[in-house]
Amino acid sequence: MASQIAKVLLSLDAEALGSLKEGVNFKKSPEDGKCYIIFKSNNYFKACKNQCKHQGGLFVKDVEDLDAMTVKCTKHNWKLNVSTMKYVNPPDSFLQDELEVEVLDDGGLQLVELSPVDPWMADPREPLELQEGEVKVTYFTHACMELQFGERRFMFDPWLKGPAFARGWWLLHEPPADALDRLCAADLIYISHMHSDHLSYPTLKVLAERRPNVPIYVGDTSRPVFWYLEQSQVKLTNIKVTPFGVWQHIDNHLRFMILMDGVHPEMDTCIIVDYKGHMILNTVDCTRPNGGRLPQNVDVLMTDFAGGASGFPMTFYGGKYNFWKAEFIKNERKKLLNYKATLVKSLQPRIYCPFAGYFVEAHPSDRYIKDTNIKNSAEHLNALINKLAPAIKTWTPQPGAVLDLGLALRDPTSSEAITHPPASAKLYKDSWEFYLYVNELNSAIKSNIFKHQSWIQFYYTWAGFQNYNLVVRVIETDDKFECITDGYDYLVDFLDLSFPTKRPDREHAYLEIKNRIGVMRYVVLHGCLWDDLYIGFQNRISRDPDIYHHKFWKHFQAELPLCRPDWEQFQKQVFYIDESTIPLSDTGMGNDCALSGIDSGLILDL
């Protein structure tokens, strides 16, 4: 069976994209003549094939629709609201299958479809009856689940110790006392993507010390999931990079398939596990898993639910961000809750479990984030699903709780289907060994490379981002995001990758980023992705104008070189130039949060 691929169906250049009108647009592919429908609303796009889901008729513009949102089928007059992809005549009938819309860096657009769209249909199996105790699902913490299939144990995304995203995320739940032992005894492990709340090097270090050859399966993403493995010095020896959309057979009864995300195919994946014809679907963090096409009526569906996994708007300041965040966060969480509930209702699993959202901003220095970054609760989501789709059994997991799938399928109302942790079990963490991990990050502060201000040019040259009209001011700060006298404060002009002492006179976009010095220097020293700073809430950001620079953030969060900067070569270059005797304030790079020789043109209060 061939690997699943992403197929481009239609490409529009910047000029063609600019000619699209608000509302419904019909576009033909010059390659094969097939027609597609693109809905535009304030530079937000949705798209689908021009084909009615009822009996395959073609759509035309609905002349009765004054809002330019619906199209009408020429066969039976069915009507589709393209803004929602819902059929409005007849109502509550179908959802139209969406195509992935990729807005390109050159201003163009592509419509993309995964091929095949439903690879799990290859070699379908009739479900066999499960015995009591034959299939058990045990929740450990966050996105970590243990699945027992007969004698085999399959572990998902083990984050069992240490922080994620530098020092920004910590485990909310206390893993079962034997969690690390059970991880080391697993027959196989699936790690969905490279984010450190799923790929936890502190956790995997324990595994490597005890059982380095356990099979670990990852998707064949464009940026390797384990790109940082060699530098981490975690000695794992049996990582299996797996093609998308192909069944991986473990034995006669157990197989699994890894699928890509439609929005972040370079990074995110999800998984379907099939045991004796019974399917468990885990969409993990995928924004549009498998491009939105997923199997219906699986036995167990697991998805994320919480929200709050982004620096936006939490770490932004100035202007509207001083008063606007709370209402925005409330609305975003509500939208996410409704989306997840609608997704679950449409897929109609037998059992639904919300997970992969149990983290906390526990470090005392992040109290503001913890208090402001309100997240959805699993209980609220399950209550909403119970209202919308009462036939679906919902499960709000606690650490160590076990779902017996055979019992649950036989009688969804059975109280014996779920074993709860004992009353004496500790469910929530109250200590995290902050000092251990924060000290490791802060050890980078005294690295010799930072004695030489030319590290700045060396690092950003290594990063490889330029030809983009953006000027970024980077300021090293203490834990309270207050400037420190021995920190750097510098400008990077990414149009020509220069390092001016004041903002250029030309018109340009501007970012001002305050980074905690320990985390920033650790990221620079080790060539880490900037997710540690951004998703980990380790910086504060202002911008002028207030627009998102997708190309910049995508590069520094996902496209930095796979090998860290060659600091040994750097030190050879500066060996004969002893800059360490020059005070930072004399170089124009000292940081006193005045302008330090830098004319920012935008100073905002935090």
Side-chain angles (χ1 to χ4, degrees), residues 20-255:
L20 295 179
K21 63 181 185 294
E22 292 289 305
V24 172
N25 298 264
F26 291 87
K27 285 289 179 180
K28 273 191 177 182
S29 167
E31 281 78 21
D32 58 14
K34 292 183 178 178
C35 186
Y36 302 93
I37 303 173
I38 302 175
F39 178 80
K40 177 183 177 183
S41 176
N42 296 322
N43 289 319
Y44 171 75
F45 302 94
K46 284 193 166 191
C48 65
K49 293 180 178 179
N50 186 3
Q51 185 176 44
C52 181
K53 209 168 182 180
H54 178 218
Q55 289 188 6
L58 294 178
F59 289 109
V60 295
K61 184 177 179 180
D62 182 8
V63 294
E64 298 174 350
D65 173 30
L66 300 180
D67 296 324
M69 291 186 180
T70 62
V71 292
K72 184 169 68 173
C73 178
T74 53
K75 268 195 172 183
H76 301 100
N77 292 325
W78 281 40
K79 291 187 178 184
L80 170 69
N81 184 325
V82 190
S83 71
T84 62
M85 294 296 171
K86 293 181 179 179
Y87 284 82
V88 293
N89 182 23
D92 299 321
S93 49
F94 293 125
L95 274 175
Q96 185 77 345
D97 295 324
E98 286 188 59
L99 299 173
E100 290 304 315
V101 179
E102 294 184 1
V103 178
L104 306 177
D105 292 334
D106 63 5
L109 174 147
Q110 290 182 339
L111 303 187
V112 179
E113 181 181 57
L114 298 178
S115 179
V117 295
D118 49 5
W120 55 86
M121 295 302 293
D123 187 24
R125 293 177 173 176
E126 286 296 319
L128 304 177
E129 184 176 355
L130 298 177
Q131 301 303 310
E132 179 180 348
E134 186 175 1
V135 176
K136 292 182 178 180
V137 180
T138 304
Y139 170 72
F140 280 12
T141 185
H142 191 57
C144 183
M145 290 276 195
E146 179 195 67
L147 283 64
Q148 177 188 331
F149 301 102
E151 298 300 316
R152 294 190 184 273
R153 295 179 183 269
F154 196 169
M155 189 79 78
F156 291 163
D157 285 338
W159 173 29
L160 300 173
K161 63 180 299 184
F165 300 110
R167 44 180 279 193
W169 293 28
W170 305 81
L171 288 168
L172 175 67
H173 286 147
E174 184 72 49
D178 62 349
L180 285 169
D181 293 333
R182 290 165 72 171
L183 168 65
C184 296
D187 293 288
L188 60 160
I189 297 169
Y190 160 69
I191 293 181
S192 60
H193 62 292
M194 63 186 177
H195 279 165
S196 50
D197 59 321
H198 300 263
L199 196 169
S200 165
Y201 279 107
T203 302
L204 295 180
K205 183 179 179 182
V206 177
L207 177 66
E209 290 167 353
R210 296 197 207 172
R211 195 161 160 245
N213 64 338
V214 61
I216 300 178
Y217 292 86
V218 297
D220 189 13
T221 49
S222 57
R223 188 175 188 94
V225 174
F226 275 96
W227 70 273
Y228 193 73
L229 180 64
E230 183 176 350
Q231 189 168 314
S232 75
Q233 298 185 334
V234 172
K235 307 296 184 182
L236 296 169
T237 61
N238 196 8
I239 293 167
K240 297 179 178 293
V241 179
T242 306
F244 291 116
V246 179
W247 284 119
Q248 306 297 313
H249 295 266
I250 303 303
D251 58 33
N252 291 335
H253 296 303
L254 178 61
R255 60 182 182 172

Side-chain angles (χ1 to χ4, degrees), residues 449-456 474-477 484-490 517 521 579 584 587 589-591:
I449 70 165
F450 299 110
K451 294 179 180 179
H452 312 277
Q453 71 180 67
S454 53
W455 73 263
I456 298 169
V474 182
I475 307 168
E476 294 183 330
T477 73
I484 48 182
T485 56
D486 56 351
Y488 281 95
D489 182 346
Y490 55 89
I517 185 171
R521 293 195 178 183
E579 296 174 342
L584 290 179
T587 68
M589 309 308 289
N591 181 345

Side-chain angles (χ1 to χ4, degrees), residues 14 60 62 96 146 164 235 341 348 398 473 487 497 513 517 527 535 555 580 606:
V60 295
D62 182 8
Q96 185 77 345
E146 179 195 67
K235 307 296 184 182
Q348 287 291 307
Q398 294 179 319
R473 181 184 180 188
L497 200 58
I513 307 177
I517 185 171
I535 300 180
H555 186 89
S580 63
L606 180 61

Side-chain angles (χ1 to χ4, degrees), residues 317-489:
Y317 65 93
K320 70 179 183 182
Y321 297 103
N322 291 335
F323 60 86
W324 167 81
K325 291 178 186 176
E327 190 63 25
F328 175 85
I329 291 167
K330 178 182 176 182
N331 290 336
E332 287 299 298
R333 300 299 179 267
K334 184 177 180 180
K335 286 194 288 186
L336 177 63
L337 204 72
N338 288 330
Y339 167 72
K340 293 296 180 181
T342 303
L343 174 68
V344 173
K345 180 184 177 182
S346 68
L347 294 179
Q348 287 291 307
R350 301 286 297 277
I351 301 160
Y352 171 69
C353 174
F355 83 143
Y358 300 104
F359 69 93
V360 61
E361 304 88 345
H363 195 278
S365 65
D366 288 325
R367 181 62 184 267
Y368 161 74
I369 300 290
K370 180 182 177 183
D371 290 346
T372 311
N373 191 25
I374 306 302
K375 305 173 188 69
N376 289 327
S377 80
E379 291 83 358
H380 287 164
L381 175 55
N382 280 343
L384 182 56
I385 292 169
N386 292 337
K387 182 179 179 180
L388 294 176
I392 298 173
K393 180 180 179 67
T394 56
W395 175 32
T396 303
Q398 294 179 319
V402 181
L403 169 73
D404 186 314
L405 186 56
L407 287 179
L409 295 179
R410 204 169 303 147
D411 181 6
T413 64
S414 171
S415 60
E416 297 179 359
I418 295 175
T419 303
H420 299 283
S424 60
K426 183 180 180 182
L427 301 182
Y428 295 94
K429 291 188 74 71
D430 54 18
S431 63
W432 292 268
E433 298 181 303
F434 294 135
Y435 65 92
L436 195 66
Y437 301 100
V438 174
N439 287 350
E440 181 184 355
L441 293 167
N442 287 343
S443 67
I445 296 174
K446 299 298 184 183
S447 172
N448 284 334
I449 70 165
F450 299 110
K451 294 179 180 179
H452 312 277
Q453 71 180 67
S454 53
W455 73 263
I456 298 169
Q457 181 174 352
F458 190 88
Y459 172 74
Y460 288 98
T461 301
W462 164 85
F465 182 75
Q466 58 181 323
N467 300 319
Y468 188 78
N469 190 19
L470 174 68
V471 176
V472 178
R473 181 184 180 188
V474 182
I475 307 168
E476 294 183 330
T477 73
D478 62 13
D479 275 7
K480 296 180 180 179
F481 299 101
E482 295 175 356
C483 299
I484 48 182
T485 56
D486 56 351
Y488 281 95
D489 182 346

Side-chain angles (χ1 to χ4, degrees), residues 249-305:
H249 295 266
I250 303 303
D251 58 33
N252 291 335
H253 296 303
L254 178 61
R255 60 182 182 172
F256 69 89
M257 174 183 292
I258 297 177
L259 302 171
M260 72 176 77
D261 183 33
V263 175
H264 297 291
E266 78 284 353
M267 182 179 69
D268 276 338
T269 74
C270 60
I271 189 170
I272 302 172
V273 183
D274 180 342
Y275 177 77
K276 292 187 175 180
H278 295 274
M279 285 193 182
I280 295 175
L281 170 60
N282 173 11
T283 65
V284 207
D285 286 356
C286 287
T287 306
R288 278 182 59 80
N290 198 54
R293 186 77 66 89
L294 293 170
Q296 293 188 313
N297 308 120
V298 298
D299 292 279
V300 181
L301 171 63
M302 309 171 187
T303 77
D304 63 342
F305 69 95

